[in-house]
Amino acid sequence: MANEVKSLNDECGVFGIWGTPDATRLTYDGLHALQHRGQEGAGIVSNDHNQLHRYRGLGLLAQVFEDPQTLEILNGNSAIGHIRYATAGSHSINNIQPFLFENISNHFAISHNGNLTNADTLKRELSAKGVQFQSDSDSELFGDLIEVSEMDNFTDKIKDAANRMRGGFAYILMATDAMYAVSDPNGLRPLVMGKRADGSVVICSETCALDQVRAEFIRDIQPGELIKVDGDGIKIGHYTTDTELTVCSMEYIYFARPDSVIHGVSVHEARKRMGARVAREHPVKADVVLGVPNSSLSAAIGYANESGIPYDMGMIKNQYVARTFIEPTQKKRERGVSMKLSVVKSVIEGKDIVLVDDSIVRGTTSRYIVQLLRDAGAKSIHVRIASPDLKFPCFYGIDIQKPSELIGANYSVDGIRDQIGADSLGYLSVDGLIDSIGLKCDNQYHGLCTAYFDGKYPTPLYDYEAMYKREAKRLHLYEGMD
Ligand code: AMP
């Protein structure tokens, strides 16, 4: 649709390690554990304390680093890496991170997860100062801001740059003499720190990557923090204290791996509680509970435990099909889903079924699965979604910026039920989501960003404000209509 602002950065995975001879291999392993956060490209920058060395490419991590030589040329005892998830149309090697900045006084590399809401404004300002951009991505702007900062020392330049950015950002920065990490003032994107037995320090998107490299969890990086790791150890500072934790609820619902823990909450347990709560909020008589593999399995277990209806493996996911969600056309997305999912007929035939999924975005997956279950002889299909109705776009780094594509923005719950062809449809309430995640935080947002469901954005939207206002008007018009 016209006037829609579409960014090129979305949910991604970042990893950094300081102080071990095996830094590059461990970065590879850590990124491997974060592959679910993006499949479009991957890159690693190593640091031998004189120079930074980079290798990056398009595709899955294992494809990018298929040739073992590529890891070997990345020498040094520290490294950072990046796993990229981007929207269709931005497939260029130039957008693959880490980005390198090599001017006379500073050599550094950055990896970013999130989306800046003032990127257009910053780009205009930086262009006016003569900055030549190396990519189409908002992510590089942090590096550009550091380069143009007039502060004297490097740490102050980082603080200065961080204070200029708005939106969701979790950055790891590798300079030749230190590694840094920065979290946005709302901590929208997760970032954790750990330590290995050899004393090396790891900072990365999720605890599952800490586990992968046998690093012991130390702490979550808090909103507004600037962490510095160097030969003297770890220094925890702030670039701003004007902060309020509102971590992205979609991390708990869909993005993070179930074995990760975010701000003290196990993702798997949170999903089970979401499933249990939706069972209480939308009970139904049925023979069997199915989960849509793989992201909904925790919630489906929770639904089954709470309702007493047995869980069974009625659906199979072909593990060799990449993500369908970011395919550019509806036809390709539908084909992708059909290649990915199939049913176990003996579990389905003649049964009343509860189908649990973690979310409905465009409705492609649910529509296809409901049909698949009908074709396999299901008697009735009751769809239960372990998150609330997704009506509002995300501007902080999740690929749901187009309200026109959100089925929840355009139809009522009954309308969506008809669109996907289910016998009944029930969503988790927003309170149910907040209670199920159960973050210990007493601010007005309960520590969570739930804007996708209630439109309560925890920050101003800056460059997206005008577009959002137009869309909100339209969303309001469509509220409750089919
Ligand atoms: P859709 O088929 O468009 O309704 O998308 C919903 C499905 O995609 C659900 O089964 C989710 O597991 C998954 N999903 C939800 N949000 C995202 C996202 N931002 N990126 C990729 N997949 C997603």
Side-chain angles (χ1 to χ4, degrees), residues 127-178:
S127 290
K129 289 187 174 164
V131 170
Q132 304 274 327
F133 299 114
Q134 49 179 292
S135 69
D136 307 322
S137 162
D138 300 355
S139 300
E140 75 157 276
L141 299 178
F142 183 39
D144 299 323
L145 287 165
I146 292 170
E147 289 205 314
V148 302
S149 170
E150 285 167 8
M151 294 292 169
D152 290 335
N153 71 56
F154 193 63
T155 306
D156 286 342
K157 284 178 194 287
I158 293 179
K159 287 187 183 171
D160 186 28
N163 274 308
R164 299 293 324 282
M165 297 186 295
R166 302 286 179 268
F169 52 89
Y171 274 103
I172 306 182
L173 184 152
M174 181 65 76
T176 45
D177 59 354

Side-chain angles (χ1 to χ4, degrees), residues 6-8 10 40 84-91 325-329 333 362 399 402:
K6 202 76 186 78
S7 129
L8 294 178
D10 295 285
E40 194 211 336
R84 179 170 168 78
Y85 171 165
T87 46
S90 61
H91 301 287
F325 189 88
I326 56 173
E327 290 288 1
T329 65
R333 284 193 289 269
R362 300 181 182 97
D399 180 26
K402 280 189 177 174

Side-chain angles (χ1 to χ4, degrees), residues 172-314:
I172 306 182
L173 184 152
M174 181 65 76
T176 45
D177 59 354
M179 176 169 82
Y180 298 82
V182 172
S183 171
D184 71 68
N186 293 82
L188 283 153
R189 311 263 59 102
L191 206 53
V192 291
M193 179 159 65
K195 207 169 196 170
R196 297 178 71 249
D198 65 0
S200 52
V201 177
V202 179
I203 297 179
C204 56
S205 297
E206 289 184 39
T207 59
C208 65
L210 292 181
D211 297 339
Q212 183 67 52
V213 301
R214 294 176 185 273
E216 201 175 313
F217 171 80
I218 302 177
R219 66 198 289 281
D220 293 276
I221 311 294
Q222 300 295 335
E225 280 187 342
L226 167 62
I227 310 288
K228 182 177 181 185
V229 185
D230 63 10
D232 296 332
I234 303 167
K235 282 194 202 76
I236 296 169
H238 285 90
Y239 63 90
T240 178
T241 48
D242 187 7
T243 61
E244 178 169 47
L245 179 70
T246 60
V247 63
C248 168
S249 56
M250 210 62 188
E251 292 282 350
Y252 292 98
I253 295 165
Y254 169 76
F255 258 105
R257 235 170 65 165
D259 52 336
S260 286
V261 177
I262 308 172
H263 288 284
V265 175
S266 151
V267 172
H268 172 64
E269 298 301 335
R271 288 180 189 168
K272 280 207 307 196
R273 289 192 292 270
M274 292 175 209
R277 178 74 174 245
V278 81
R280 290 199 294 278
E281 291 182 359
H282 298 283
V284 63
K285 277 208 168 92
D287 302 312
V288 64
V289 175
L290 311 184
V292 179
N294 293 327
S295 51
S296 308
L297 300 185
S298 308
I301 291 168
Y303 193 104
N305 288 347
E306 180 69 21
S307 63
I309 303 169
Y311 174 81
D312 206 342
M313 197 180 70

Side-chain angles (χ1 to χ4, degrees), residues 341-380:
L341 294 169
S342 52
V343 295
V344 182
K345 211 170 172 185
S346 60
V347 177
I348 313 293
E349 211 163 13
K351 304 270 177 57
D352 293 313
I353 287 170
V354 178
L355 176 70
V356 179
D357 203 353
D358 57 84
S359 56
I360 297 182
V361 183
R362 300 181 182 97
T364 315
T365 310
S366 313
R367 194 179 293 125
Y368 178 79
I369 295 174
V370 168
Q371 191 56 51
L372 205 62
L373 297 177
R374 291 227 186 276
D375 293 346
K379 204 154 90 193
S380 65

